[in-house]
Coordinates of all heavy atoms in Angstrom, one line a residue:
M1 N 4.1 -2.8 27.7 CA 3.2 -3.5 26.7 C 4.2 -4.1 25.7 O 4.9 -3.4 25.0 CB 2.3 -2.5 26.1 CG 1.5 -3.1 25.0 SD 0.8 -1.9 23.9 CE -0.8 -1.6 24.4
A2 N 4.1 -5.4 25.5 CA 4.9 -6.1 24.5 C 4.4 -5.9 23.1 O 3.2 -5.7 22.9 CB 5.0 -7.6 24.9
T3 N 5.3 -5.8 22.2 CA 4.9 -5.6 20.8 C 5.8 -6.5 19.9 O 7.0 -6.8 20.2 CB 5.0 -4.2 20.3 OG1 4.6 -4.1 19.0 CG2 6.4 -3.6 20.5
T4 N 5.3 -6.9 18.7 CA 6.1 -7.7 17.8 C 6.6 -6.8 16.7 O 7.3 -7.3 15.8 CB 5.2 -8.8 17.2 OG1 4.1 -8.2 16.5 CG2 4.7 -9.8 18.2
N5 N 6.2 -5.5 16.7 CA 6.7 -4.6 15.7 C 8.2 -4.2 16.0 O 8.6 -4.1 17.1 CB 5.9 -3.3 15.7 CG 4.4 -3.6 15.2 OD1 4.2 -4.4 14.4 ND2 3.5 -2.8 15.7
P6 N 9.0 -4.0 14.9 CA 10.3 -3.7 15.1 C 10.5 -2.3 15.7 O 9.7 -1.4 15.5 CB 11.0 -3.7 13.7 CG 9.8 -3.8 12.8 CD 8.6 -4.2 13.5
R7 N 11.5 -2.1 16.5 CA 11.8 -0.8 17.1 C 13.0 -0.2 16.4 O 14.0 -0.9 16.1 CB 12.1 -1.0 18.6 CG 10.9 -1.4 19.3 CD 11.2 -1.6 20.8 NE 10.0 -2.1 21.5 CZ 9.1 -1.3 22.1 NH1 9.3 0.0 22.1 NH2 8.1 -1.8 22.7
I8 N 12.9 1.1 16.1 CA 14.0 1.8 15.4 C 14.4 3.0 16.2 O 13.5 3.8 16.6 CB 13.5 2.2 14.0 CG1 13.2 0.9 13.2 CG2 14.6 3.0 13.3 CD1 12.5 1.2 11.8
M9 N 15.6 3.2 16.4 CA 16.1 4.4 17.2 C 16.4 5.5 16.2 O 17.0 5.2 15.1 CB 17.4 4.1 18.0 CG 17.8 5.2 18.8 SD 19.4 4.9 19.7 CE 18.7 3.7 20.8
V10 N 15.9 6.7 16.5 CA 16.1 7.8 15.6 C 16.8 9.0 16.4 O 16.3 9.2 17.5 CB 14.8 8.3 15.0 CG1 15.0 9.5 14.1 CG2 14.1 7.2 14.3
V11 N 17.8 9.6 15.8 CA 18.4 10.7 16.5 C 18.0 12.0 15.7 O 18.1 12.1 14.5 CB 20.0 10.6 16.4 CG1 20.6 11.8 17.0 CG2 20.4 9.3 17.1
L12 N 17.4 12.9 16.4 CA 16.8 14.2 15.8 C 17.6 15.4 16.4 O 18.0 15.4 17.5 CB 15.3 14.3 16.2 CG 14.5 13.1 15.7 CD1 13.1 13.3 16.3 CD2 14.4 13.0 14.2
E13 N 17.6 16.4 15.6 CA 18.1 17.7 16.0 C 17.1 18.3 17.0 O 15.9 18.0 17.0 CB 18.2 18.7 14.8 CG 19.3 18.3 13.8 CD 18.7 17.3 12.8 OE1 17.5 17.0 12.8 OE2 19.5 16.9 11.9
P14 N 17.6 19.0 18.0 CA 16.7 19.6 19.1 C 15.5 20.3 18.6 O 14.4 20.0 19.1 CB 17.6 20.5 19.9 CG 19.0 19.9 19.7 CD 19.0 19.4 18.3
P15 N 15.5 21.2 17.5 CA 14.3 21.8 17.1 C 13.2 20.8 16.5 O 12.1 21.0 16.7 CB 14.8 22.8 16.0 CG 16.2 23.0 16.2 CD 16.7 21.7 16.8
L16 N 13.7 19.8 15.8 CA 12.8 18.8 15.3 C 12.2 18.0 16.4 O 11.0 17.7 16.4 CB 13.5 17.9 14.3 CG 12.7 17.0 13.5 CD1 11.6 17.6 12.8 CD2 13.6 16.2 12.5
A17 N 13.0 17.6 17.4 CA 12.5 16.8 18.5 C 11.5 17.6 19.3 O 10.4 17.1 19.7 CB 13.7 16.4 19.4
K18 N 11.7 18.9 19.4 CA 10.8 19.8 20.2 C 9.5 19.9 19.4 O 8.4 19.8 20.0 CB 11.4 21.2 20.3 CG 10.6 22.2 21.1 CD 11.3 23.5 21.2 CE 10.4 24.5 22.0 NZ 11.0 25.8 22.1
W19 N 9.5 20.0 18.1 CA 8.3 20.1 17.3 C 7.5 18.8 17.4 O 6.3 18.9 17.5 CB 8.7 20.4 15.8 CG 7.5 20.4 14.9 CD1 6.6 21.4 14.8 CD2 7.1 19.3 14.0 NE1 5.6 21.0 13.8 CE2 5.9 19.8 13.4 CE3 7.6 18.1 13.7 CZ2 5.3 19.0 12.4 CZ3 7.0 17.3 12.8 CH2 5.8 17.7 12.2
I20 N 8.2 17.7 17.3 CA 7.5 16.4 17.3 C 6.8 16.2 18.7 O 5.7 15.7 18.8 CB 8.4 15.2 17.0 CG1 8.7 15.3 15.5 CG2 7.7 13.9 17.3 CD1 9.7 14.3 15.0
K21 N 7.6 16.6 19.8 CA 7.0 16.5 21.1 C 5.7 17.3 21.2 O 4.7 16.9 21.8 CB 8.0 16.9 22.2 CG 9.1 15.9 22.4 CD 10.1 16.4 23.5 CE 11.2 15.5 23.6 NZ 12.2 16.0 24.6
K22 N 5.8 18.6 20.7 CA 4.7 19.5 20.7 C 3.5 18.9 19.9 O 2.4 19.0 20.4 CB 5.1 20.9 20.1 CG 4.0 21.9 20.2 CD 4.6 23.2 19.6 CE 3.5 24.3 19.5 NZ 4.0 25.5 18.9
M23 N 3.7 18.4 18.7 CA 2.7 17.9 17.9 C 2.0 16.6 18.5 O 0.8 16.5 18.5 CB 3.2 17.5 16.5 CG 3.6 18.7 15.7 SD 2.3 19.9 15.5 CE 1.2 19.0 14.5
S24 N 2.9 15.7 19.1 CA 2.3 14.5 19.7 C 1.4 14.9 20.9 O 0.4 14.3 21.1 CB 3.4 13.6 20.1 OG 4.3 14.1 21.1
K25 N 1.9 15.9 21.7 CA 1.1 16.3 22.9 C -0.2 16.9 22.4 O -1.3 16.6 23.0 CB 1.9 17.3 23.7 CG 1.2 17.6 25.0 CD 2.1 18.5 25.9 CE 1.4 18.9 27.2 NZ 2.2 19.7 28.1
K26 N -0.1 17.8 21.4 CA -1.3 18.4 20.9 C -2.4 17.4 20.4 O -3.6 17.6 20.5 CB -0.9 19.4 19.8 CG -2.0 20.1 19.1 CD -1.5 21.0 18.0 CE -2.6 21.7 17.3 NZ -2.1 22.5 16.1
E27 N -1.9 16.4 19.8 CA -2.8 15.3 19.2 C -3.1 14.2 20.1 O -3.8 13.3 19.8 CB -2.2 14.8 17.9 CG -2.0 15.9 16.8 CD -1.4 15.4 15.6 OE1 -1.3 14.2 15.3 OE2 -0.9 16.3 14.8
G28 N -2.5 14.2 21.3 CA -2.8 13.2 22.3 C -2.2 11.9 22.0 O -2.7 10.8 22.3
L29 N -1.0 11.9 21.3 CA -0.3 10.7 20.9 C 1.0 10.6 21.6 O 1.6 11.5 22.0 CB -0.1 10.7 19.3 CG -1.3 10.8 18.4 CD1 -0.9 11.0 17.0 CD2 -2.1 9.5 18.5
S30 N 1.5 9.3 21.6 CA 2.8 9.1 22.1 C 3.8 9.6 21.0 O 3.5 9.7 19.9 CB 3.1 7.7 22.5 OG 3.0 6.9 21.3
L31 N 5.1 9.8 21.4 CA 6.1 10.2 20.4 C 6.2 9.1 19.4 O 6.3 9.4 18.2 CB 7.4 10.4 21.1 CG 7.6 11.7 21.9 CD1 8.9 11.7 22.7 CD2 7.5 12.9 21.0
S32 N 6.2 7.9 19.8 CA 6.3 6.7 18.9 C 5.2 6.7 17.9 O 5.4 6.5 16.7 CB 6.3 5.4 19.7 OG 6.4 4.3 18.9
S33 N 4.0 6.9 18.4 CA 2.8 6.9 17.5 C 2.9 8.1 16.5 O 2.6 7.9 15.3 CB 1.5 7.0 18.3 OG 1.3 5.8 19.0
K34 N 3.3 9.3 17.0 CA 3.4 10.4 16.1 C 4.4 10.2 15.0 O 4.2 10.4 13.8 CB 3.7 11.7 16.9 CG 3.7 12.9 16.0 CD 2.4 13.2 15.3 CE 2.5 14.4 14.4 NZ 1.3 14.5 13.6
L35 N 5.6 9.7 15.4 CA 6.7 9.4 14.4 C 6.2 8.3 13.4 O 6.5 8.4 12.2 CB 7.9 9.0 15.2 CG 8.7 10.1 15.8 CD1 9.8 9.6 16.7 CD2 9.3 11.0 14.7
R36 N 5.5 7.3 13.9 CA 5.0 6.2 13.0 C 4.1 6.9 12.0 O 4.2 6.6 10.8 CB 4.3 5.2 13.8 CG 3.7 4.1 13.0 CD 2.5 3.4 13.5 NE 1.4 4.3 13.8 CZ 0.7 4.3 14.9 NH1 0.8 3.3 15.8 NH2 -0.3 5.2 15.1
D37 N 3.2 7.7 12.4 CA 2.3 8.4 11.5 C 3.0 9.2 10.5 O 2.7 9.2 9.3 CB 1.2 9.2 12.2 CG 0.3 8.4 13.1 OD1 0.3 7.1 12.9 OD2 -0.4 9.0 13.9
L38 N 4.0 10.0 10.9 CA 4.8 10.8 10.0 C 5.6 9.9 9.0 O 5.6 10.3 7.8 CB 5.8 11.7 10.8 CG 5.1 12.8 11.6 CD1 6.2 13.4 12.5 CD2 4.5 13.8 10.6
V39 N 6.1 8.8 9.4 CA 6.8 7.9 8.5 C 5.9 7.3 7.5 O 6.1 7.2 6.4 CB 7.6 6.9 9.3 CG1 8.2 5.8 8.4 CG2 8.8 7.5 10.1
R40 N 4.7 6.9 8.0 CA 3.7 6.3 7.1 C 3.2 7.3 6.1 O 3.1 7.0 4.9 CB 2.5 5.8 7.9 CG 1.4 5.1 7.1 CD 0.2 4.7 7.9 NE 0.6 3.7 8.8 CZ 0.1 3.6 10.1 NH1 -0.7 4.5 10.5 NH2 0.5 2.6 10.8
D41 N 3.0 8.6 6.5 CA 2.7 9.6 5.5 C 3.8 9.8 4.5 O 3.5 9.9 3.2 CB 2.4 10.9 6.2 CG 1.1 10.9 7.0 OD1 0.3 10.0 6.8 OD2 0.9 11.9 7.8
A42 N 5.0 9.8 4.9 CA 6.1 10.0 4.0 C 6.2 8.8 3.0 O 6.5 8.9 1.8 CB 7.4 10.1 4.7
Y43 N 6.0 7.6 3.5 CA 6.0 6.4 2.7 C 4.9 6.5 1.6 O 5.1 6.2 0.4 CB 5.7 5.1 3.6 CG 5.5 3.9 2.8 CD1 6.5 3.2 2.2 CD2 4.2 3.4 2.6 CE1 6.3 2.0 1.4 CE2 4.0 2.2 1.9 CZ 5.0 1.5 1.3 OH 4.8 0.4 0.6
E44 N 3.7 6.9 2.0 CA 2.5 7.0 1.1 C 2.8 8.0 0.0 O 2.5 7.8 -1.2 CB 1.2 7.2 1.8 CG 0.8 6.0 2.6 CD -0.4 6.4 3.5 OE1 -0.9 7.5 3.6 OE2 -0.9 5.4 4.2
N45 N 3.4 9.2 0.4 CA 3.7 10.2 -0.5 C 4.8 9.7 -1.5 O 4.7 10.0 -2.7 CB 4.2 11.5 0.2 CG 3.1 12.2 1.0 OD1 1.9 12.0 0.7 ND2 3.5 13.0 1.9
S46 N 5.8 9.0 -1.0 CA 6.8 8.5 -1.9 C 6.2 7.5 -2.9 O 6.5 7.5 -4.1 CB 7.9 7.8 -1.1 OG 8.8 7.2 -1.9
E47 N 5.3 6.6 -2.4 CA 4.7 5.6 -3.3 C 3.8 6.3 -4.3 O 3.8 6.0 -5.5 CB 3.8 4.7 -2.4 CG 3.3 3.5 -3.1 CD 2.5 2.6 -2.2 OE1 1.6 3.0 -1.5 OE2 2.9 1.4 -2.1
D48 N 3.0 7.4 -3.9 CA 2.2 8.1 -4.9 C 3.1 8.8 -5.9 O 2.7 8.8 -7.1 CB 1.4 9.2 -4.1 CG 0.3 8.6 -3.3 OD1 0.0 7.4 -3.4 OD2 -0.3 9.4 -2.5
A49 N 4.2 9.3 -5.5 CA 5.1 10.0 -6.5 C 5.7 9.0 -7.5 O 5.8 9.2 -8.7 CB 6.3 10.7 -5.8
Y50 N 6.0 7.8 -7.0 CA 6.5 6.7 -7.9 C 5.4 6.4 -9.0 O 5.7 6.3 -10.1 CB 6.9 5.4 -7.1 CG 7.2 4.3 -8.0 CD1 8.4 4.1 -8.6 CD2 6.2 3.3 -8.3 CE1 8.6 3.1 -9.5 CE2 6.4 2.3 -9.1 CZ 7.7 2.1 -9.7 OH 7.9 1.1 -10.6
W51 N 4.2 6.1 -8.5 CA 3.2 5.7 -9.4 C 2.7 6.8 -10.4 O 2.4 6.5 -11.6 CB 2.0 5.1 -8.7 CG 2.3 3.7 -8.1 CD1 2.3 3.4 -6.8 CD2 2.6 2.6 -8.9 NE1 2.7 2.1 -6.7 CE2 2.9 1.5 -7.9 CE3 2.8 2.3 -10.2 CZ2 3.3 0.3 -8.3 CZ3 3.1 1.0 -10.6 CH2 3.4 0.0 -9.7
A52 N 2.8 8.0 -9.9 CA 2.5 9.2 -10.8 C 3.6 9.2 -11.9 O 3.3 9.5 -13.1 CB 2.5 10.5 -10.0
K53 N 4.8 9.0 -11.6 CA 5.9 9.0 -12.5 C 5.8 7.9 -13.5 O 6.0 8.0 -14.7 CB 7.3 9.0 -11.8 CG 8.5 9.1 -12.7 CD 9.7 9.0 -11.9 CE 11.0 9.1 -12.8 NZ 12.2 9.0 -12.0
E54 N 5.4 6.7 -13.0 CA 5.2 5.6 -13.9 C 4.0 5.8 -14.8 O 4.1 5.4 -16.0 CB 4.9 4.3 -13.0 CG 4.7 3.0 -13.8 CD 6.0 2.6 -14.5 OE1 7.1 2.9 -14.1 OE2 5.8 1.8 -15.5
A55 N 2.9 6.4 -14.3 CA 1.8 6.7 -15.2 C 2.2 7.7 -16.3 O 1.8 7.5 -17.5 CB 0.6 7.2 -14.4
D56 N 2.9 8.7 -15.9 CA 3.4 9.7 -17.0 C 4.2 9.0 -18.0 O 4.1 9.3 -19.2 CB 4.2 10.8 -16.3 CG 3.3 11.8 -15.5 OD1 2.1 11.8 -15.8 OD2 3.8 12.5 -14.7
A57 N 5.1 8.1 -17.6 CA 6.0 7.4 -18.6 C 5.1 6.5 -19.5 O 5.4 6.5 -20.7 CB 7.0 6.5 -17.8
R58 N 4.1 5.9 -19.0 CA 3.2 5.1 -19.8 C 2.4 5.9 -20.8 O 2.3 5.6 -22.0 CB 2.2 4.3 -18.9 CG 2.9 3.1 -18.2 CD 2.0 2.4 -17.3 NE 2.7 1.4 -16.6 CZ 2.1 0.4 -15.8 NH1 0.7 0.4 -15.8 NH2 2.8 -0.4 -15.1
L59 N 2.0 7.1 -20.3 CA 1.2 8.0 -21.2 C 2.1 8.5 -22.3 O 1.7 8.7 -23.5 CB 0.7 9.2 -20.4 CG -0.6 8.9 -19.6 CD1 -0.9 10.1 -18.8 CD2 -1.8 8.5 -20.5
D60 N 3.4 8.8 -22.0 CA 4.4 9.2 -23.0 C 4.6 8.2 -24.1 O 4.9 8.6 -25.2 CB 5.7 9.6 -22.4 CG 5.6 10.9 -21.6 OD1 4.6 11.6 -21.7 OD2 6.5 11.1 -20.7
R61 N 4.4 6.9 -23.8 CA 4.7 5.8 -24.8 C 3.4 5.6 -25.7 O 3.6 4.9 -26.7 CB 5.0 4.5 -24.1 CG 6.4 4.6 -23.4 CD 6.9 3.2 -22.9 NE 6.0 2.6 -21.9 CZ 6.2 2.7 -20.6 NH1 7.2 3.3 -20.1 NH2 5.4 2.1 -19.8
L62 N 2.3 6.1 -25.3 CA 1.1 5.9 -26.1 C 1.1 6.8 -27.4 O 1.7 7.9 -27.4 CB -0.1 6.3 -25.3 CG -0.5 5.3 -24.2 CD1 -1.7 5.9 -23.4 CD2 -0.8 3.9 -24.7
K63 N 0.5 6.3 -28.4 CA 0.4 7.0 -29.7 C -1.1 7.5 -29.8 O -2.0 6.9 -29.2 CB 0.8 6.1 -30.9 CG 2.2 5.6 -30.8 CD 2.4 4.6 -31.9 CE 3.7 3.9 -31.7 NZ 3.6 2.7 -30.8
D64 N -1.3 8.5 -30.7 CA -2.6 9.0 -30.9 C -3.6 7.9 -31.3 O -4.8 7.9 -30.9 CB -2.7 10.1 -31.9 CG -2.1 11.4 -31.3 OD1 -2.0 11.5 -30.1 OD2 -1.7 12.3 -32.1
D65 N -3.2 6.9 -32.1 CA -4.1 5.9 -32.5 C -4.4 4.8 -31.4 O -5.2 3.9 -31.7 CB -3.6 5.2 -33.8 CG -2.2 4.6 -33.7 OD1 -1.5 4.9 -32.7 OD2 -1.9 3.8 -34.6
D66 N -3.8 5.0 -30.3 CA -4.1 4.1 -29.1 C -5.3 4.5 -28.4 O -5.9 3.8 -27.6 CB -2.9 4.1 -28.1 CG -1.7 3.4 -28.7 OD1 -1.8 2.5 -29.5 OD2 -0.6 3.8 -28.2
F67 N -5.8 5.7 -28.7 CA -7.0 6.3 -28.1 C -8.2 6.2 -28.9 O -8.1 6.2 -30.2 CB -6.8 7.8 -27.7 CG -5.6 8.0 -26.7 CD1 -4.4 8.3 -27.2 CD2 -5.9 7.9 -25.4 CE1 -3.3 8.5 -26.3 CE2 -4.8 8.2 -24.5 CZ -3.6 8.4 -25.0
I68 N -9.4 6.0 -28.3 CA -10.6 6.1 -29.0 C -11.5 7.1 -28.3 O -11.4 7.4 -27.1 CB -11.4 4.7 -29.1 CG1 -11.7 4.2 -27.7 CG2 -10.5 3.7 -29.9 CD1 -12.6 2.9 -27.8
S69 N -12.5 7.6 -29.0 CA -13.4 8.6 -28.5 C -14.4 7.9 -27.5 O -14.6 6.7 -27.5 CB -14.2 9.3 -29.6 OG -15.1 8.4 -30.1
H70 N -15.0 8.8 -26.7 CA -16.0 8.3 -25.7 C -17.1 7.6 -26.4 O -17.5 6.5 -26.0 CB -16.5 9.5 -24.9 CG -17.5 9.2 -23.9 ND1 -17.2 8.7 -22.7 CD2 -18.9 9.4 -23.9 CE1 -18.3 8.6 -22.0 NE2 -19.3 9.0 -22.7
E71 N -17.6 8.2 -27.5 CA -18.7 7.6 -28.3 C -18.3 6.3 -28.9 O -19.1 5.3 -28.9 CB -19.1 8.6 -29.4 CG -19.8 9.8 -28.9 CD -18.8 10.9 -28.4 OE1 -17.6 10.8 -28.7 OE2 -19.2 11.8 -27.7
A72 N -17.1 6.2 -29.4 CA -16.6 4.9 -30.0 C -16.5 3.8 -29.0 O -16.8 2.7 -29.2 CB -15.2 5.1 -30.7
F73 N -16.0 4.2 -27.8 CA -15.9 3.2 -26.7 C -17.3 2.6 -26.4 O -17.5 1.4 -26.4 CB -15.3 3.8 -25.4 CG -15.4 2.8 -24.3 CD1 -14.5 1.8 -24.1 CD2 -16.5 3.0 -23.4 CE1 -14.6 1.0 -23.0 CE2 -16.6 2.1 -22.3 CZ -15.6 1.1 -22.1
W74 N -18.3 3.4 -26.2 CA -19.6 2.9 -25.8 C -20.3 2.2 -27.0 O -21.0 1.2 -26.7 CB -20.5 4.1 -25.4 CG -20.1 4.6 -24.0 CD1 -19.5 5.8 -23.7 CD2 -20.1 3.9 -22.8 NE1 -19.2 5.8 -22.4 CE2 -19.6 4.7 -21.8 CE3 -20.6 2.6 -22.4 CZ2 -19.5 4.3 -20.4 CZ3 -20.5 2.2 -21.1 CH2 -19.9 3.0 -20.1
K75 N -20.0 2.6 -28.2 CA -20.5 1.8 -29.4 C -19.9 0.4 -29.4 O -20.6 -0.5 -29.6 CB -20.2 2.6 -30.6 CG -20.9 2.0 -31.9 CD -20.6 2.9 -33.1 CE -21.3 2.3 -34.3 NZ -21.1 3.1 -35.5
K76 N -18.6 0.4 -29.2 CA -17.9 -0.9 -29.2 C -18.3 -1.8 -28.1 O -18.4 -3.0 -28.2 CB -16.4 -0.7 -29.1 CG -15.5 -1.9 -29.4 CD -14.0 -1.5 -29.4 CE -13.2 -2.7 -29.7 NZ -11.8 -2.4 -29.8
A77 N -18.7 -1.2 -26.9 CA -19.2 -1.9 -25.8 C -20.6 -2.4 -26.0 O -21.1 -3.2 -25.2 CB -19.0 -1.1 -24.5
G78 N -21.3 -1.9 -27.0 CA -22.6 -2.3 -27.2 C -23.6 -1.6 -26.3 O -24.7 -2.2 -26.1
L79 N -23.3 -0.5 -25.7 CA -24.2 0.1 -24.8 C -24.6 1.5 -25.4 O -24.0 2.2 -26.0 CB -23.5 0.3 -23.5 CG -23.1 -1.0 -22.8 CD1 -22.3 -0.6 -21.5 CD2 -24.3 -1.8 -22.4

């Protein structure tokens, strides 16, 4: 089956290769599909960690007078 997606060769230690083979068989996936899913999960976790760190940095830069109460917000919104 032809594909336009890039192919990447990965060298794994035997215990890790055995685990991935076991997991892919258990889930009914090819080795390639299982590795793709694992890499995608790692990418998403890395992205989440980056944005959480960025959000914390932004919160640290805020001052107390940057916040308003729930009631003040709705009053200002006219609702």
Side-chain angles (χ1 to χ4, degrees):
M1 177 200 263
T3 180
T4 58
N5 293 329
R7 295 179 181 268
I8 300 172
M9 183 181 294
V10 178
V11 178
L12 303 172
E13 295 85 2
L16 187 53
K18 183 178 176 181
W19 176 77
I20 292 174
K21 286 178 186 177
K22 182 179 175 183
M23 294 303 295
S24 64
K25 185 175 182 180
K26 179 180 175 183
E27 296 176 20
L29 299 171
S30 67
L31 286 173
S32 179
S33 294
K34 182 61 184 172
L35 284 169
R36 180 206 55 218
D37 293 348
L38 290 169
V39 170
R40 184 181 292 139
D41 289 346
Y43 171 77
E44 290 172 358
N45 290 338
S46 176
E47 192 175 55
D48 289 347
Y50 169 82
W51 287 116
K53 186 177 177 182
E54 182 66 24
D56 287 342
R58 289 180 184 188
L59 283 173
D60 289 343
R61 291 191 298 263
L62 291 173
K63 301 174 190 81
D64 284 341
D65 58 342
D66 291 331
F67 296 95
I68 62 172
S69 70
H70 181 79
E71 292 80 13
F73 170 82
W74 287 111
K75 186 175 182 180
K76 190 173 182 178
L79 301 173

